[in-house]
Structure formats: structure tokens, C-alpha cells
């Protein structure tokens, strides 16, 4: 069964450093998402991406964040200058259509020191 | 703005007992509703979904949920819990409006199962 994959599973970085989180969505899906879950809190929407552009973003997704689909398979989330409060589990998701179930990857745990 | 409330933070049940996890939502139109499960250190797995039609939906692992529009609820049930069901369960609602497909999650209910 096809699944969303994410790398790395755990990333440790120093405050102020740039990180790139990588995702490979399910191959025939058209919509891609990033969510995050701060430890002990609920899953929060960051951004959605369709047709090679951002279709929606939350207040969390400020200028420090960017997303890219550099080729036909990868979908990346970049945090330009990490802050302590960026420490969280980041989930990538994809869906075949917009209003449909989203399939989530296993997540990348980001730890900012 | 849409919102999801899961009033129970932590529930403990004995193996073999029945289970009901509560979910209430606030949404202006007919919502799409989802239940996801997250095992420790794992991602989110879809248990079941409701888009339209029959208000009682069946999911994987023996779970079911019932959409009740009058109560704005979408409670998750299982007649007999197994130890492997211990996990955190998240209710989610979407889409949030025309052209907006983000999911809004509740805070989750952690399920512990006593052998």
C-alpha cells in the first residue's frame, strides 16, 4: 500500500540554523500539507500546496517557513532560522483531491537546542 | 472558525470492555469528519471518515463512529477493546471553507488499556 514517507525521523539543530524537512507524498496525489504537533499539544495546520504553489497557510507559517516541490516526488519544508519554539513533530500529508482524506507520514521530530 | 472538542483527555478501560470517545465540532456547514489514531512515536493513521450518507460509519480495527448533526458530535466506538488499541485518538474536521482543505484537530484523547 502506498504511503507518505518523511526524512529524517529525528533532526537536532542549533537555534538560528536552517533545517529542511523532506517528504515524499503518495505518487498520484495532488495536494500536499504540513502540520506540526508541539509535544503534548494538538496537531496544527501549517500550509497546503497545490499546483506548485501555496494554496493556504496558517498564522504559524511566517516568513521563516517555506515549502517547495523541487521535483516530481519530493515536498520540502524549510525553516530558515530555527527558534526554540519550533521544536515539534512535523507531519507531511497528501491527498488525491482537496476535500478528501489526508494520508499522513510518520513525522520528523525537530529538536532545536 | 471551525473547532473540535474532545472533552476527555485520558480514558482507561479494561481489555474486552466497550469504548466510546467523544468528539464535538463547531462548523458552519456539513463537515467532513475524521478519526485518526497515533501510537507512541508513530504518525497519524486514519481510522474512519464521514463525508455524507449513512451517519454510522465503519472503520478499520473494528471501530465505528456515528455522526449526529443535532448534537454536533462524531463519537468513536468499539464494542470490545484490545490491548493494542492503547494509543492517542484525534478527531478532526475539514474542510474549513471553499478552497480551504486544512484539517482542524481536537486535542486528542489518550486511551490506556488494562489487561
Amino acid at each position: 500500500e502506498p504511503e507518505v514517507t518523511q526524512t529524517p525521523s529525528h533532526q537536532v539543530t542549533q537555534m538560528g540554523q536552517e533545517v529542511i524537512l523532506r517528504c515524499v507524498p503518495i505518487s498520484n496525489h495532488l495536494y500536499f500539507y504540513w502540520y506540526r504537533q508541539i509535544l503534548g499539544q494538538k496537531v496544527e495546520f501549517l500550509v497546503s500546496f497545490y499546483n506548485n504553489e501555496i494554496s493556504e497557510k496558517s498564522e504559524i507559517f511566517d516568513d521563516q517557513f517555506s515549502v517547495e516541490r523541487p521535483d516530481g516526488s519530493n515536498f520540502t519544508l524549510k525553516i530558515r532560522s530555527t527558534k526554540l519554539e519550533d521544536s515539534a513533530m512535523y507531519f507531511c500529508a497528501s491527498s488525491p483531491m482537496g476535500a478528501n482524506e489526508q494520508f499522513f507520514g510518520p513525522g520528523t521530530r525537530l529538536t532545536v537546542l | 472558525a471551525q473547532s473540535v472538542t474532545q472533552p476527555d483527555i485520558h480514558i482507561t478501560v479494561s481489555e474486552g470492555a466497550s469504548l466510546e470517545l467523544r468528539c464535538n465540532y463547531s462548523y458552519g456547514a456539513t463537515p467532513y469528519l475524521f478519526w485518526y489514531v497515533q501510537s507512541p512515536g508513530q504518525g497519524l493513521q486514519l481510522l474512519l471518515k464521514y463525508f455524507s450518507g449513512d451517519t454510522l460509519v465503519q472503520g478499520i480495527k473494528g471501530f465505528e463512529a456515528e455522526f449526529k448533526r443535532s448534537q454536533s458530535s462524531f463519537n468513536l466506538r468499539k464494542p470490545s477493546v484490545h490491548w493494542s488499541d492503547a494509543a492517542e485518538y484525534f478527531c478532526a474536521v475539514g474542510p474549513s471553507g471553499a478552497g480551504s482543505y486544512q484539517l482542524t484537530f481536537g486535542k486528542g484523547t489518550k486511551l490506556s488499556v488494562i489487561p
Side-chain angles (χ1 to χ4, degrees), chain A:
Chain A
E1 185 175 333
E3 58 184 20
V4 177
T5 60
Q6 291 186 243
T7 54
S9 57
H10 192 186
Q11 173 101 39
V12 181
T13 189
Q14 296 290 325
M15 189 170 56
Q17 294 297 304
E18 174 184 288
V19 295
I20 297 176
L21 310 182
R22 303 180 191 281
C23 168
V24 179
I26 295 173
S27 64
N28 62 345
H29 286 188
L30 301 178
Y31 288 80
F32 314 114
Y33 311 85
W34 284 102
Y35 292 80
R36 79 171 186 190
Q37 183 183 31
I38 295 172
L39 188 63
Q41 298 186 25
K42 64 180 180 180
V43 177
E44 301 173 291
F45 169 78
L46 292 178
V47 66
S48 60
F49 192 86
Y50 169 71
N51 200 26
N52 283 319
E53 62 182 24
I54 291 174
S55 51
E56 189 178 15
K57 60 184 180 180
S58 72
E59 292 177 352
I60 303 168
F61 194 88
D62 61 22
D63 292 344
Q64 293 299 312
F65 292 88
S66 62
V67 290
E68 192 178 33
R69 187 155 164 82
D71 53 43
S73 60
N74 290 283
F75 179 51
T76 62
L77 174 69
K78 181 192 291 186
I79 308 175
R80 215 178 322 276
S81 177
T82 51
K83 303 187 282 282
L84 295 176
E85 53 265 38
D86 293 328
S87 294
M89 180 75 90
Y90 288 81
F91 292 106
C92 175
S94 68
S95 64
M97 299 291 290
N100 208 318
E101 63 185 273
Q102 296 176 19
F103 294 81
F104 283 78
T108 292
R109 178 164 297 286
L110 176 66
T111 302
V112 182
L113 302 176

Side-chain angles (χ1 to χ4, degrees), chain B residues 6-14 18-22 35 76 81 85-89 108-114:
Chain B
Q6 293 181 248
D8 303 306
I9 297 173
H10 192 182
I11 284 182
T12 300
V13 300
S14 298
S18 63
L19 171 71
E20 182 169 28
L21 302 182
R22 295 182 290 166
W35 275 98
L76 182 71
V81 169
D85 293 325
E88 188 147 22
Y89 291 79
T109 298
K110 184 176 180 180
L111 174 66
S112 296
V113 180
I114 302 172

Side-chain angles (χ1 to χ4, degrees), chain B residues 23-110:
Chain B
C23 172
N24 292 96
Y25 66 89
S26 172
Y27 189 74
T30 301
Y32 292 1
L33 295 159
F34 308 86
W35 275 98
Y36 284 87
V37 60
Q38 183 182 33
S39 299
Q42 303 296 310
L44 297 164
Q45 182 183 23
L46 181 71
L47 283 176
L48 47 77
K49 62 187 179 188
Y50 172 78
F51 286 174
S52 65
D54 192 346
T55 56
L56 183 64
V57 293
Q58 303 296 321
I60 62 171
K61 304 185 181 185
F63 285 92
E64 66 177 28
E66 186 171 12
F67 169 58
K68 293 186 177 179
R69 185 189 303 275
S70 62
Q71 298 176 20
S72 297
S73 69
F74 189 57
N75 294 347
L76 182 71
R77 300 194 293 248
K78 187 169 185 178
S80 177
V81 169
H82 189 262
W83 64 266
S84 60
D85 293 325
E88 188 147 22
Y89 291 79
F90 293 92
C91 182
V93 63
S96 61
S100 171
Y101 303 120
Q102 64 174 279
L103 297 181
T104 299
F105 285 83
K107 291 186 176 181
T109 298
K110 184 176 180 180

